Amino acid sequence: MRAIKAQVDRIRQALEGVLRDLERVAVQLGQAEQEKEIAEEEIENLRQALNSLQRHSHSPSQGYAAHRHEQRQRPSPESEPDEED
């Protein structure tokens, strides 16, 4: 009878260990889910920012780079023929 009681105690201890492990896994899963949600929000924010930048880079006024490009396309005053001649 003592052998059976000892075996039951070992099984109970093993099951309690399994429960502790399962609780730790549940906590880790919850943390992983929160991190995943945060990462997905960050990715979405980055996508929106990238789309916004792409929309602005395709706009007609394209900012400083377009202005510099236009200046390079125009002939300089020195290269234009004099109208006084």
Coordinates of all heavy atoms in Angstrom, one line a residue:
M1 N 0.8 -1.2 0.0 CA 0.0 0.0 0.0 C 0.9 1.3 0.0 O 0.5 2.2 -0.7 CB -0.9 -0.1 1.2 CG -2.1 0.9 1.2 SD -3.1 0.4 -0.2 CE -4.6 1.0 0.3
R2 N 2.0 1.2 0.7 CA 2.9 2.4 0.7 C 3.4 2.6 -0.6 O 3.6 3.8 -1.0 CB 4.0 2.2 1.7 CG 3.6 2.3 3.1 CD 4.8 2.1 4.1 NE 4.3 2.0 5.4 CZ 5.0 1.7 6.4 NH1 6.3 1.4 6.2 NH2 4.6 1.7 7.6
A3 N 3.8 1.6 -1.4 CA 4.3 1.8 -2.7 C 3.3 2.5 -3.6 O 3.7 3.3 -4.4 CB 4.7 0.4 -3.3
I4 N 2.0 2.1 -3.5 CA 1.0 2.8 -4.3 C 0.9 4.2 -3.9 O 0.8 5.1 -4.8 CB -0.3 2.0 -4.2 CG1 -0.2 0.6 -4.8 CG2 -1.5 2.8 -4.8 CD1 -1.5 -0.2 -4.5
K5 N 0.9 4.5 -2.6 CA 0.8 5.9 -2.2 C 2.0 6.7 -2.7 O 1.8 7.9 -3.2 CB 0.7 6.0 -0.7 CG 0.5 7.4 -0.1 CD 0.4 7.4 1.4 CE 0.1 8.7 2.0 NZ 0.9 9.8 1.7
A6 N 3.2 6.2 -2.6 CA 4.4 6.9 -3.1 C 4.3 7.1 -4.6 O 4.6 8.2 -5.1 CB 5.6 6.0 -2.8
Q7 N 3.8 6.1 -5.3 CA 3.6 6.3 -6.8 C 2.6 7.4 -7.1 O 2.8 8.2 -8.0 CB 3.2 5.0 -7.4 CG 3.2 5.0 -8.9 CD 2.9 3.6 -9.5 OE1 2.5 2.7 -8.8 NE2 3.1 3.5 -10.8
V8 N 1.5 7.4 -6.4 CA 0.5 8.5 -6.5 C 1.1 9.8 -6.3 O 0.8 10.8 -7.0 CB -0.8 8.2 -5.7 CG1 -1.7 9.4 -5.7 CG2 -1.5 6.9 -6.2
D9 N 1.9 9.9 -5.2 CA 2.5 11.2 -4.9 C 3.5 11.7 -6.0 O 3.5 12.9 -6.3 CB 3.3 11.1 -3.6 CG 2.4 11.1 -2.3 OD1 1.2 11.5 -2.5 OD2 2.8 10.7 -1.2
R10 N 4.2 10.8 -6.6 CA 5.1 11.1 -7.7 C 4.3 11.6 -8.9 O 4.7 12.6 -9.6 CB 6.0 9.9 -8.1 CG 7.1 9.7 -7.1 CD 8.1 8.7 -7.6 NE 7.5 7.4 -8.0 CZ 7.4 6.4 -7.1 NH1 7.8 6.5 -5.9 NH2 6.9 5.2 -7.5
I11 N 3.2 10.9 -9.2 CA 2.4 11.3 -10.3 C 1.8 12.7 -10.0 O 1.8 13.6 -10.9 CB 1.3 10.3 -10.5 CG1 1.9 9.0 -11.1 CG2 0.2 10.8 -11.5 CD1 0.9 7.8 -11.1
R12 N 1.3 12.9 -8.8 CA 0.8 14.2 -8.5 C 1.8 15.3 -8.6 O 1.5 16.4 -9.2 CB 0.3 14.2 -7.0 CG -0.4 15.5 -6.6 CD -0.9 15.5 -5.2 NE 0.1 15.1 -4.2 CZ 1.1 15.9 -3.7 NH1 1.1 17.1 -4.1 NH2 1.9 15.4 -2.8
Q13 N 3.0 15.1 -8.2 CA 4.1 16.1 -8.3 C 4.5 16.4 -9.8 O 4.7 17.5 -10.2 CB 5.4 15.6 -7.5 CG 5.2 15.7 -6.0 CD 6.4 15.0 -5.3 OE1 7.2 14.4 -5.9 NE2 6.3 15.2 -4.0
A14 N 4.5 15.3 -10.5 CA 4.7 15.4 -12.0 C 3.6 16.3 -12.6 O 3.9 17.2 -13.4 CB 4.9 14.1 -12.6
L15 N 2.4 16.0 -12.3 CA 1.3 16.8 -12.8 C 1.3 18.2 -12.4 O 1.0 19.1 -13.2 CB -0.1 16.1 -12.5 CG -0.4 14.8 -13.2 CD1 -1.6 14.2 -12.6 CD2 -0.5 15.0 -14.7
E16 N 1.7 18.5 -11.2 CA 1.8 19.9 -10.7 C 2.9 20.6 -11.5 O 2.8 21.8 -11.9 CB 2.1 19.9 -9.2 CG 0.9 19.6 -8.4 CD 1.3 19.4 -6.9 OE1 2.5 19.4 -6.5 OE2 0.3 19.3 -6.1
G17 N 4.0 19.9 -11.8 CA 5.1 20.5 -12.6 C 4.6 20.8 -14.0 O 4.9 21.8 -14.6
V18 N 3.8 19.9 -14.6 CA 3.3 20.1 -15.9 C 2.3 21.3 -15.9 O 2.4 22.1 -16.8 CB 2.5 18.8 -16.4 CG1 1.7 19.1 -17.6 CG2 3.5 17.7 -16.6
L19 N 1.5 21.5 -14.8 CA 0.7 22.6 -14.7 C 1.5 23.9 -14.7 O 1.1 24.9 -15.3 CB -0.3 22.5 -13.5 CG -1.4 21.6 -13.7 CD1 -2.2 21.4 -12.3 CD2 -2.4 22.1 -14.7
R20 N 2.5 23.9 -13.9 CA 3.4 25.1 -13.8 C 4.0 25.5 -15.2 O 4.0 26.6 -15.6 CB 4.5 24.9 -12.8 CG 4.1 25.1 -11.4 CD 5.2 25.1 -10.4 NE 6.1 23.9 -10.4 CZ 5.8 22.8 -9.7 NH1 4.8 22.8 -8.9 NH2 6.6 21.8 -9.8
D21 N 4.4 24.4 -15.9 CA 5.0 24.6 -17.2 C 3.9 25.2 -18.2 O 4.2 26.1 -19.0 CB 5.5 23.3 -17.8 CG 6.8 22.8 -17.1 OD1 7.4 23.6 -16.3 OD2 7.2 21.7 -17.2
L22 N 2.7 24.6 -18.1 CA 1.6 25.1 -19.0 C 1.3 26.6 -18.6 O 1.0 27.4 -19.5 CB 0.4 24.3 -18.8 CG 0.5 22.9 -19.5 CD1 -0.7 22.0 -19.1 CD2 0.6 23.0 -21.0
E23 N 1.3 27.0 -17.4 CA 1.1 28.4 -17.0 C 2.1 29.3 -17.6 O 1.8 30.4 -18.1 CB 1.0 28.5 -15.5 CG -0.3 27.9 -14.9 CD -0.3 27.9 -13.3 OE1 0.7 28.4 -12.7 OE2 -1.2 27.4 -12.8
R24 N 3.4 28.8 -17.5 CA 4.5 29.6 -18.1 C 4.3 29.8 -19.6 O 4.5 30.9 -20.2 CB 5.9 29.0 -17.8 CG 6.3 29.3 -16.4 CD 7.8 28.9 -16.2 NE 7.8 28.1 -15.0 CZ 8.2 26.9 -14.8 NH1 8.7 26.2 -15.8 NH2 8.2 26.3 -13.7
V25 N 3.9 28.7 -20.2 CA 3.7 28.7 -21.7 C 2.6 29.7 -22.0 O 2.7 30.5 -23.0 CB 3.4 27.3 -22.2 CG1 2.9 27.4 -23.7 CG2 4.7 26.5 -22.2
A26 N 1.5 29.7 -21.2 CA 0.4 30.6 -21.5 C 0.8 32.0 -21.3 O 0.4 32.9 -22.1 CB -0.8 30.2 -20.5
V27 N 1.6 32.3 -20.3 CA 2.1 33.7 -20.1 C 3.0 34.1 -21.3 O 2.8 35.2 -21.9 CB 2.9 33.8 -18.8 CG1 3.7 35.1 -18.7 CG2 1.9 33.7 -17.6
Q28 N 3.9 33.2 -21.8 CA 4.7 33.5 -22.9 C 3.9 33.7 -24.2 O 4.2 34.6 -25.0 CB 5.8 32.4 -23.1 CG 6.8 32.4 -22.0 CD 7.8 31.2 -22.1 OE1 7.5 30.3 -22.8 NE2 8.9 31.3 -21.4
L29 N 2.9 32.9 -24.4 CA 2.0 33.1 -25.5 C 1.3 34.4 -25.5 O 1.2 35.1 -26.6 CB 1.0 31.9 -25.6 CG 1.6 30.6 -26.1 CD1 0.5 29.5 -26.0 CD2 2.0 30.7 -27.6
G30 N 0.9 34.8 -24.3 CA 0.2 36.1 -24.2 C 1.2 37.2 -24.6 O 0.8 38.2 -25.3
Q31 N 2.4 37.1 -24.1 CA 3.4 38.2 -24.4 C 3.7 38.2 -25.9 O 3.8 39.3 -26.5 CB 4.7 37.9 -23.5 CG 4.5 38.2 -22.1 CD 5.7 37.7 -21.2 OE1 6.5 37.0 -21.7 NE2 5.8 38.2 -20.0
A32 N 3.8 37.0 -26.4 CA 4.2 36.9 -27.9 C 3.0 37.5 -28.7 O 3.3 38.2 -29.7 CB 4.4 35.5 -28.3
E33 N 1.8 37.3 -28.3 CA 0.7 37.9 -29.0 C 0.7 39.4 -28.9 O 0.4 40.1 -29.9 CB -0.7 37.3 -28.4 CG -1.9 37.7 -29.2 CD -3.1 37.0 -28.8 OE1 -3.1 36.0 -28.1 OE2 -4.2 37.6 -29.0
Q34 N 1.0 39.9 -27.8 CA 1.0 41.4 -27.6 C 2.2 42.0 -28.5 O 2.0 43.0 -29.2 CB 1.3 41.8 -26.1 CG 0.1 41.6 -25.3 CD 0.4 41.9 -23.8 OE1 1.6 41.9 -23.4 NE2 -0.6 42.1 -23.0
E35 N 3.3 41.3 -28.5 CA 4.4 41.8 -29.3 C 4.1 41.7 -30.8 O 4.5 42.6 -31.6 CB 5.7 40.9 -29.0 CG 6.2 41.2 -27.6 CD 7.4 40.3 -27.2 OE1 7.9 39.5 -28.1 OE2 7.8 40.3 -26.1
K36 N 3.4 40.7 -31.2 CA 3.0 40.5 -32.6 C 2.0 41.6 -33.0 O 2.2 42.2 -34.0 CB 2.3 39.2 -32.8 CG 1.8 38.9 -34.2 CD 1.0 37.6 -34.3 CE 0.3 37.5 -35.6 NZ -1.1 37.2 -35.5
E37 N 1.1 42.0 -32.1 CA 0.1 43.1 -32.4 C 0.9 44.4 -32.5 O 0.6 45.2 -33.4 CB -0.9 43.1 -31.3 CG -1.9 42.0 -31.4 CD -2.9 42.0 -30.2 OE1 -2.9 42.9 -29.4 OE2 -3.7 41.0 -30.1
I38 N 1.8 44.6 -31.6 CA 2.6 45.9 -31.7 C 3.4 45.9 -33.0 O 3.5 46.9 -33.6 CB 3.5 46.0 -30.4 CG1 2.7 46.2 -29.2 CG2 4.6 47.1 -30.6 CD1 3.5 46.1 -27.9
A39 N 4.1 44.8 -33.3 CA 4.8 44.7 -34.6 C 4.0 45.0 -35.8 O 4.4 45.7 -36.7 CB 5.6 43.4 -34.7
E40 N 2.8 44.4 -35.8 CA 1.9 44.6 -36.9 C 1.4 46.0 -37.0 O 1.3 46.6 -38.1 CB 0.6 43.7 -36.8 CG 0.9 42.2 -37.1 CD -0.3 41.3 -36.8 OE1 -1.2 41.7 -36.1 OE2 -0.2 40.1 -37.2
E41 N 1.2 46.7 -35.9 CA 0.9 48.1 -35.9 C 2.0 49.0 -36.4 O 1.8 49.9 -37.2 CB 0.5 48.6 -34.5 CG -0.8 48.1 -34.0 CD -1.1 48.5 -32.6 OE1 -0.4 49.5 -32.1 OE2 -2.0 47.9 -31.9
E42 N 3.3 48.6 -36.0 CA 4.4 49.3 -36.5 C 4.6 49.1 -38.0 O 4.9 50.1 -38.7 CB 5.7 48.9 -35.8 CG 5.7 49.3 -34.3 CD 6.9 48.8 -33.6 OE1 7.8 48.1 -34.2 OE2 7.0 49.0 -32.4
I43 N 4.4 47.9 -38.5 CA 4.5 47.6 -39.9 C 3.5 48.4 -40.7 O 3.8 49.0 -41.7 CB 4.4 46.1 -40.2 CG1 5.6 45.4 -39.7 CG2 4.1 45.9 -41.7 CD1 5.5 43.9 -39.7
E44 N 2.3 48.5 -40.2 CA 1.2 49.3 -40.9 C 1.5 50.7 -40.9 O 1.4 51.4 -41.9 CB -0.2 49.0 -40.2 CG -1.3 49.7 -40.9 CD -1.5 49.3 -42.3 OE1 -1.2 48.1 -42.7 OE2 -1.9 50.2 -43.1
N45 N 2.1 51.3 -39.8 CA 2.5 52.7 -39.7 C 3.6 52.9 -40.7 O 3.6 54.0 -41.4 CB 2.9 53.1 -38.3 CG 1.8 53.2 -37.4 OD1 0.6 53.3 -37.7 ND2 2.1 53.0 -36.1
L46 N 4.5 52.0 -40.8 CA 5.6 52.2 -41.8 C 5.1 52.1 -43.2 O 5.5 52.9 -44.1 CB 6.7 51.1 -41.6 CG 7.5 51.3 -40.3 CD1 8.4 50.1 -40.1 CD2 8.4 52.5 -40.4
R47 N 4.1 51.2 -43.5 CA 3.5 51.1 -44.8 C 2.9 52.4 -45.2 O 3.0 52.9 -46.3 CB 2.5 50.0 -44.9 CG 3.1 48.7 -45.1 CD 2.0 47.6 -45.3 NE 2.6 46.3 -45.5 CZ 2.2 45.2 -44.8 NH1 1.2 45.3 -44.0 NH2 2.8 44.1 -45.0
Q48 N 2.1 53.0 -44.2 CA 1.4 54.3 -44.5 C 2.4 55.4 -44.8 O 2.2 56.2 -45.7 CB 0.5 54.6 -43.3 CG -0.7 53.7 -43.2 CD -1.5 54.0 -42.0 OE1 -1.2 54.8 -41.2 NE2 -2.6 53.2 -41.8
A49 N 3.5 55.4 -44.0 CA 4.5 56.4 -44.2 C 5.2 56.3 -45.5 O 5.4 57.3 -46.3 CB 5.6 56.4 -43.1
L50 N 5.5 55.1 -45.9 CA 6.1 54.8 -47.2 C 5.2 55.2 -48.3 O 5.6 55.8 -49.3 CB 6.5 53.3 -47.3 CG 7.1 52.9 -48.6 CD1 8.4 53.6 -48.9 CD2 7.4 51.4 -48.6
N51 N 3.9 54.8 -48.2 CA 2.9 55.2 -49.3 C 2.8 56.7 -49.4 O 2.7 57.3 -50.5 CB 1.6 54.6 -49.0 CG 1.5 53.1 -49.2 OD1 2.4 52.6 -50.0 ND2 0.6 52.4 -48.6
S52 N 2.8 57.4 -48.2 CA 2.8 58.8 -48.2 C 4.0 59.4 -48.9 O 3.9 60.3 -49.8 CB 2.7 59.3 -46.8 OG 2.7 60.7 -46.8
L53 N 5.2 58.9 -48.6 CA 6.4 59.4 -49.3 C 6.4 59.1 -50.8 O 6.8 60.0 -51.6 CB 7.6 58.7 -48.7 CG 8.0 59.2 -47.2 CD1 9.1 58.3 -46.7 CD2 8.4 60.6 -47.2
Q54 N 5.9 58.0 -51.2 CA 5.8 57.6 -52.6 C 4.8 58.5 -53.3 O 5.0 59.0 -54.4 CB 5.4 56.2 -52.8 CG 6.5 55.2 -52.4 CD 6.1 53.8 -52.5 OE1 4.9 53.4 -52.4 NE2 7.1 52.9 -52.6
R55 N 3.7 58.8 -52.6 CA 2.7 59.8 -53.3 C 3.3 61.1 -53.4 O 3.2 61.8 -54.5 CB 1.4 59.9 -52.4 CG 0.5 58.7 -52.6 CD -0.9 59.0 -52.0 NE -0.8 59.3 -50.6 CZ -0.8 58.4 -49.6 NH1 -1.0 57.2 -49.9 NH2 -0.8 58.8 -48.3
H56 N 4.1 61.6 -52.4 CA 4.7 62.9 -52.5 C 5.8 62.9 -53.6 O 6.0 63.9 -54.2 CB 5.2 63.4 -51.2 CG 4.1 63.7 -50.2 ND1 3.4 64.8 -50.2 CD2 3.6 62.9 -49.2 CE1 2.5 64.8 -49.2 NE2 2.6 63.7 -48.6
S57 N 6.5 61.8 -53.7 CA 7.6 61.8 -54.7 C 7.1 61.8 -56.1 O 7.8 62.1 -57.1 CB 8.5 60.6 -54.5 OG 7.9 59.4 -54.8
H58 N 5.8 61.3 -56.3 CA 5.2 61.3 -57.7 C 4.4 62.5 -57.9 O 3.8 62.6 -59.0 CB 4.4 60.0 -57.8 CG 5.2 58.8 -57.8 ND1 5.1 57.9 -56.8 CD2 6.2 58.3 -58.7 CE1 6.0 56.9 -57.1 NE2 6.6 57.2 -58.2
S59 N 4.3 63.5 -57.0 CA 3.5 64.7 -57.2 C 4.2 65.6 -58.2 O 5.5 65.5 -58.4 CB 3.2 65.4 -55.9 OG 4.4 65.9 -55.4
P60 N 3.5 66.5 -58.9 CA 4.2 67.4 -59.9 C 5.3 68.2 -59.3 O 6.2 68.5 -60.0 CB 3.0 68.2 -60.4 CG 1.8 67.5 -60.0 CD 2.1 66.7 -58.8
S61 N 5.2 68.7 -58.1 CA 6.2 69.6 -57.6 C 7.4 68.9 -57.0 O 8.3 69.6 -56.6 CB 5.5 70.5 -56.6 OG 5.1 69.8 -55.5
Q62 N 7.5 67.7 -56.8 CA 8.6 66.9 -56.3 C 9.6 67.6 -55.5 O 10.7 67.1 -55.3 CB 9.2 66.2 -57.4 CG 8.3 65.2 -58.1 CD 9.1 64.4 -59.2 OE1 10.2 64.5 -59.3 NE2 8.3 63.6 -59.9
G63 N 9.4 68.8 -55.0 CA 10.3 69.5 -54.1 C 11.6 69.9 -54.6 O 11.7 70.3 -55.8
Y64 N 12.6 70.0 -53.8 CA 13.9 70.6 -54.1 C 14.6 69.8 -55.2 O 15.2 70.5 -56.1 CB 14.8 70.5 -52.8 CG 16.1 71.1 -53.0 CD1 16.3 72.5 -53.1 CD2 17.2 70.3 -53.2 CE1 17.5 73.0 -53.3 CE2 18.5 70.8 -53.4 CZ 18.7 72.2 -53.4 OH 19.9 72.7 -53.6
A65 N 14.5 68.5 -55.3 CA 15.2 67.7 -56.3 C 14.6 68.1 -57.7 O 15.4 68.3 -58.6 CB 15.0 66.3 -56.1
A66 N 13.3 68.3 -57.8 CA 12.8 68.7 -59.1 C 13.2 70.1 -59.5 O 13.5 70.4 -60.6 CB 11.2 68.6 -59.1
H67 N 13.3 71.0 -58.5 CA 13.7 72.4 -58.7 C 15.1 72.4 -59.2 O 15.4 73.1 -60.2 CB 13.6 73.2 -57.4 CG 14.1 74.6 -57.5 ND1 13.5 75.5 -58.2 CD2 15.2 75.1 -56.9 CE1 14.2 76.7 -58.1 NE2 15.2 76.4 -57.3
R68 N 16.0 71.6 -58.6 CA 17.4 71.6 -59.0 C 17.5 71.0 -60.5 O 18.3 71.4 -61.3 CB 18.3 70.7 -58.1 CG 18.4 71.3 -56.7 CD 19.2 72.6 -56.7 NE 20.6 72.3 -57.2 CZ 21.4 73.2 -57.7 NH1 21.0 74.4 -57.8 NH2 22.6 72.9 -58.1
H69 N 16.7 70.0 -60.7 CA 16.7 69.4 -62.1 C 16.3 70.4 -63.1 O 16.9 70.5 -64.2 CB 15.8 68.2 -62.1 CG 15.7 67.5 -63.4 ND1 16.8 66.8 -63.9 CD2 14.8 67.4 -64.4 CE1 16.5 66.3 -65.1 NE2 15.3 66.7 -65.4
E70 N 15.2 71.2 -62.8 CA 14.8 72.3 -63.7 C 15.9 73.3 -64.0 O 16.1 73.8 -65.1 CB 13.5 72.9 -63.2 CG 12.3 72.0 -63.2 CD 11.1 72.7 -62.5 OE1 11.2 73.9 -62.2 OE2 10.1 72.0 -62.3
Q71 N 16.6 73.6 -62.9 CA 17.6 74.6 -63.1 C 18.7 74.1 -64.0 O 19.3 74.9 -64.8 CB 18.3 75.0 -61.7 CG 17.4 75.9 -60.9 CD 18.0 76.3 -59.6 OE1 18.9 75.6 -59.1 NE2 17.6 77.4 -59.0
R72 N 19.1 72.8 -63.9 CA 20.1 72.3 -64.7 C 19.6 72.2 -66.2 O 20.5 72.3 -67.1 CB 20.5 70.9 -64.3 CG 21.4 71.0 -63.0 CD 21.8 69.6 -62.6 NE 20.6 69.2 -61.9 CZ 20.5 68.0 -61.3 NH1 21.4 67.1 -61.4 NH2 19.4 67.7 -60.6
Q73 N 18.4 72.1 -66.4 CA 17.8 72.0 -67.8 C 17.8 73.4 -68.5 O 17.9 73.4 -69.7 CB 16.4 71.4 -67.8 CG 16.4 70.0 -67.2 CD 17.2 69.0 -68.0 OE1 17.2 69.1 -69.3 NE2 17.8 68.1 -67.4
R74 N 17.7 74.4 -67.7 CA 17.7 75.8 -68.3 C 19.1 76.2 -68.7 O 20.0 75.9 -68.0 CB 17.2 76.8 -67.3 CG 15.7 76.6 -66.9 CD 15.3 77.7 -66.0 NE 14.1 77.3 -65.3 CZ 13.7 77.7 -64.1 NH1 14.5 78.5 -63.4 NH2 12.6 77.4 -63.6
P75 N 19.2 76.9 -69.9 CA 20.5 77.4 -70.3 C 20.9 78.5 -69.3 O 20.1 79.3 -68.8 CB 20.3 77.9 -71.7 CG 18.8 78.0 -71.9 CD 18.2 77.1 -70.8
S76 N 22.2 78.6 -69.1 CA 22.7 79.6 -68.2 C 22.7 80.9 -68.9 O 22.8 80.9 -70.2 CB 24.1 79.3 -67.7 OG 25.0 79.2 -68.7
P77 N 22.7 82.1 -68.3 CA 22.7 83.4 -68.9 C 24.0 83.5 -69.8 O 23.9 84.2 -70.9 CB 22.7 84.4 -67.8 CG 22.2 83.6 -66.6 CD 22.5 82.2 -66.8
E78 N 25.1 83.0 -69.4 CA 26.3 83.1 -70.2 C 26.2 82.4 -71.6 O 26.8 82.8 -72.6 CB 27.6 82.5 -69.5 CG 27.9 83.3 -68.2 CD 27.3 82.6 -67.0 OE1 27.1 81.4 -67.0 OE2 27.0 83.3 -66.0
S79 N 25.4 81.3 -71.6 CA 25.4 80.6 -72.9 C 24.3 81.1 -73.8 O 24.2 80.7 -75.0 CB 25.1 79.1 -72.6 OG 23.8 79.0 -72.0
E80 N 23.5 82.0 -73.4 CA 22.5 82.6 -74.3 C 23.1 83.7 -75.1 O 24.0 84.4 -74.7 CB 21.3 83.2 -73.4 CG 20.5 82.2 -72.7 CD 19.4 82.9 -71.9 OE1 19.2 84.1 -72.0 OE2 18.8 82.2 -71.1
P81 N 22.7 83.8 -76.4 CA 23.3 84.8 -77.2 C 22.8 86.2 -76.8 O 21.8 86.4 -76.3 CB 22.7 84.5 -78.6 CG 21.5 83.5 -78.4 CD 21.7 82.9 -77.0
D82 N 23.8 87.1 -77.0 CA 23.5 88.5 -76.6 C 22.5 89.1 -77.6 O 22.6 88.9 -78.8 CB 24.7 89.4 -76.6 CG 25.7 89.0 -75.5 OD1 25.1 88.5 -74.5 OD2 26.9 89.2 -75.6
E83 N 21.5 89.8 -77.1 CA 20.5 90.4 -78.0 C 21.0 91.8 -78.5 O 20.4 92.4 -79.3 CB 19.2 90.5 -77.3 CG 18.6 89.1 -77.0 CD 17.2 89.3 -76.3 OE1 16.6 90.3 -76.4 OE2 16.8 88.3 -75.8
E84 N 22.1 92.3 -77.9 CA 22.5 93.6 -78.2 C 23.3 93.6 -79.6 O 23.4 94.6 -80.2 CB 23.5 94.2 -77.2 CG 22.8 94.3 -75.8 CD 23.7 94.7 -74.7 OE1 24.9 95.0 -75.0 OE2 23.3 94.7 -73.6
D85 N 23.8 92.5 -80.0 CA 24.6 92.5 -81.3 C 23.8 92.7 -82.5 O 22.8 92.5 -82.9 CB 25.3 91.1 -81.4 CG 26.4 91.0 -80.4 OD1 27.0 92.1 -80.0 OD2 26.7 89.9 -80.0

